[in-house]
Amino acid sequence: MTISLYDSMAREKRVFEPADESRVTMYVCGPTVYSYAHIGNARSAVAFDLLHRVLRRRYGAAHVVYARNITDIDDKIIKASAETGEPISAITTKFAAIYREDMGALGVLPPTLEPEATGYIAPMIALIERLIAKGAAYEAEGHVLFAVDAFDDYGKLSGADRDEMIAGARVEVAPYKKSPADFVLWKPSKDDEPGWDSPWGRGRPGWHTECSVMIEAELGRTIDIHGGGQDLRFPHHENEIAQSACAHDGAPLARYWVHNGFLRMGSDKMSKSLGNVVLAHDLLKEWPGEAIRWALLSAHYRQPLEWTEALLKQSKRQLDRFYRLLEEVEFSEETGAAPDSIVMTLEDDLNTPEAYAGLHELRDIASQLEGEARAAAIRRLRDAGRLMGFFNLAPAEWFKGDAGDGPSAEEIEQLLAERVAARKAKDFATSDRIRDDLAAKGVIIEDGPGGATWRRA
Ligand code: AMP
Ligand code: ZN
């Protein structure tokens, strides 16, 4: 069995062969911590978490180094600080912690490393000096710019024509740029802006520079896998590639490039600038993390994913059905080996739709068995789900939710059974009364093709 991944650079699926099986390296561009992550950002974190899990299973947890950075210096953070009056470090510490907690609730394992950009200012300055010495960067009016003409392969990842890219990218037009596509490695800071002393005056690094430097410092010159959302291919990843290759005598930055597709609301990409965002933090107040994770992995990671309330409901319902079966075996936190069929499907470029079909199949098989064979099949199903980050709760917990002052899960189940009986008897008055009574107690009933499910509001 081999892992294969769609490599955005090669534009084809390739067998994954790490440079060193005892130290498989992966870097994913992480959040800029000035606000809450939206569910589109979460899609990226969850997709690469799945890849992280697949790599760990195959090479062993101790042999996979996964770095996901925190961007804690950025104009958006400076702006947020100016607007709220809160110090920058308070904002970044707070939102980095919220990000970790929210992603954790979505079943995202902590990465091996979480480098924070401001911890790498000295090596960033060193990298920029190296680029200047090699003639790939130049200083102009307190800025240092990368000269894209110094790198022949510029544009190879995104594949766009260079002129097109220049037009398409909202590259800052500035009189001191030699070419309009040149991008900022270092920029001057005003007195009231955060800054560090450098050979070019007090200033701060550009975003692209951060990733190149953290990758070199933590993982090495050439890593196995570089990931991020598809929007990062240009200019961000293109710029990372150019800087790193020029600083490292042509050594490539990454051997495989993996990009997740967009999560969309309506027909648009979910993004803060469009304002069509749903925050992971808010969803987690209403929905179990596993249900949100299920929805996020329901489409193949490279395909667009349409985000709707119906998708979430359906995801919760699917998990209800699995947990119903899991209830039959004693809960255990221990996980055995996942079935080969599921492993192979996931190792094939993370084919989650097919892996879901595999889980349904395992459930159907288990439902038809009896006795110990049935229990064994249920445990196999649980192991399969756990490889993908599901079925981690005790079923009682899953169904209980946080009852608070409301009715217990058993009482609710009892009432739902009475409601089914009432409906069968065409006693709709009773059926509606049960639904309304439960609604008054904060329990929402949802009727679907597979029967009714409930959740707490
Ligand atoms: P940002 O904080 O905007 O830099 O995004 C963090 C990560 O989320 C990056 O890898 C982005 O590519 C990714 N991302 C942002 N918006 C979306 C979206 N709507 N769908 C999928 N991924 C996204
Ligand atoms: Zn990056």
Side-chain angles (χ1 to χ4, degrees):
M1 285 195 285
T2 50
I3 296 179
S4 52
L5 291 171
Y6 184 88
D7 176 5
S8 320
M9 182 70 92
R11 290 177 178 68
E12 63 181 12
K13 211 155 47 165
R14 293 172 57 212
V15 170
F16 175 66
E17 283 165 345
D20 174 0
E21 292 207 356
S22 69
R23 189 169 181 272
V24 181
T25 51
M26 173 162 85
Y27 181 93
V28 173
C29 301
T32 303
V33 282
Y34 67 103
S35 180
Y36 295 93
H38 61 67
I39 196 71
N41 303 136
R43 184 184 193 194
S44 178
V46 167
F48 287 101
D49 174 68
L50 183 60
L51 180 51
H52 182 204
R53 287 169 184 264
V54 167
L55 293 170
R56 281 163 62 117
R57 200 209 69 87
R58 179 128 169 105
Y59 299 100
H63 302 291
V64 178
V65 189
Y66 171 28
R68 187 188 64 203
N69 76 294
I70 302 255
T71 294
D72 60 349
I73 175 74
D74 182 271
D75 288 357
K76 283 177 267 184
I77 304 174
I78 296 173
K79 190 160 162 258
S81 169
E83 280 168 10
T84 60
E86 256 188 283
I88 283 179
S89 65
I91 293 176
T92 57
T93 307
K94 174 178 151 189
F95 284 109
I98 292 173
Y99 183 80
R100 285 188 196 104
E101 195 173 310
D102 288 346
M103 294 310 114
L106 297 179
V108 174
L109 299 174
T112 325
L113 303 166
E114 276 189 287
E116 298 181 352
T118 53
Y120 297 80
I121 301 293
M124 287 185 211
I125 291 173
L127 175 102
I128 296 169
E129 285 182 309
R130 234 187 293 163
L131 290 173
I132 294 176
K134 286 175 185 276
Y138 58 94
E139 186 188 358
E141 298 181 21
H143 295 71
V144 182
L145 293 132
F146 184 89
V148 295
D149 286 335
F151 186 57
D152 286 341
D153 278 346
Y154 194 75
K156 200 173 154 199
L157 175 69
S158 47
D161 174 81
R162 191 180 298 195
D163 293 337
E164 228 173 84
M165 287 192 304
I166 294 167
R170 277 163 288 148
V171 180
E172 232 178 290
V173 185
Y176 48 79
K177 282 189 183 178
K178 289 184 184 163
S179 159
D182 292 352
F183 59 89
V184 168
L185 300 171
W186 187 266
K187 61 177 150 191
S189 290
K190 299 194 194 86
D191 287 344
D192 60 347
E193 290 173 340
W196 292 264
D197 288 329
S198 82
W200 320 286
R202 189 176 164 278
R204 57 188 191 275
W207 172 38
H208 317 302
T209 314
E210 298 172 5
C211 288
S212 281
V213 167
M214 288 186 276
I215 289 170
E216 182 184 3
E218 296 298 339
L219 302 177
R221 291 192 161 192
T222 300
I223 57 174
D224 290 312
I225 301 171
H226 193 315
Q230 138 196 336
D231 53 336
L232 299 188
R233 281 183 312 176
F234 179 81
H236 184 53
H237 290 163
E238 209 73 79
N239 292 355
E240 283 186 32
I241 289 168
Q243 295 162 159
S244 293
C246 287
H248 300 147
D249 304 316
L253 178 56
R255 302 173 61 248
Y256 297 81
W257 285 87
V258 180
H259 291 98
N260 66 273
F262 292 141
L263 180 142
R264 302 202 289 220
M265 276 283 258
S267 50
D268 296 318
K269 173 196 170 197
M270 181 177 286
S271 80
K272 274 186 196 133
S273 55
L274 288 175
N276 59 347
V277 298
V278 177
L279 304 179
H281 196 72
D282 289 339
L283 279 177
L284 282 163
K285 291 178 192 157
E286 280 190 59
W287 297 89
E290 285 191 11
I292 301 171
R293 183 181 177 94
W294 187 275
L296 287 172
L297 293 175
S298 62
H300 187 262
Y301 77 94
R302 282 190 283 117
Q303 297 301 319
L305 173 66
E306 189 77 32
W307 192 256
T308 61
E309 176 95 0
L311 172 66
L312 258 175
K313 282 187 185 163
Q314 194 194 335
S315 301
K316 165 74 167 57
R317 217 176 285 140
Q318 309 257 16
L319 284 164
D320 283 347
R321 292 178 68 194
F322 286 111
Y323 270 106
R324 215 45 97 199
L325 204 56
L326 297 178
E327 252 175 340
E328 294 181 24
V329 296
E330 201 182 326
F331 178 73
S332 159
E333 281 182 10
E334 258 167 56
T335 303
D340 285 350
S341 58
I342 298 280
V343 171
M344 274 170 69
T345 304
L346 292 174
E347 289 193 339
D348 180 13
D349 197 30
L350 306 179
N351 191 343
T352 52
E354 209 166 300
Y356 280 14
L359 291 181
H360 288 298
E361 211 174 289
L362 288 170
R363 191 194 53 211
D364 291 343
I365 292 169
S367 326
Q368 283 157 25
L369 296 170
E370 278 172 37
E372 185 41 41
R374 182 180 175 100
I378 294 173
R379 282 192 289 269
R380 203 157 49 241
L381 166 66
R382 184 168 67 196
D383 293 338
R386 284 195 179 161
L387 175 58
M388 306 177 72
F390 301 115
F391 310 156
N392 288 302
L393 295 176
E397 288 302 309
W398 172 264
F399 287 113
K400 197 164 60 192
D402 181 12
D405 296 331
S408 73
E410 277 153 52
E411 291 173 281
I412 296 168
E413 296 286 353
Q414 177 61 36
L415 285 165
L416 278 188
E418 285 176 30
R419 182 164 169 269
V420 169
R423 287 185 140 203
K424 254 198 195 133
K426 301 219 179 322
D427 179 3
F428 296 113
T430 302
S431 150
D432 287 351
R433 181 181 51 73
I434 292 172
R435 190 196 53 213
D436 294 346
D437 285 355
L438 282 171
K441 289 172 184 154
V443 178
I444 297 165
I445 307 297
E446 281 148 3
D447 289 303
T453 59
W454 60 273
R455 63 185 174 91
R456 298 184 196 278

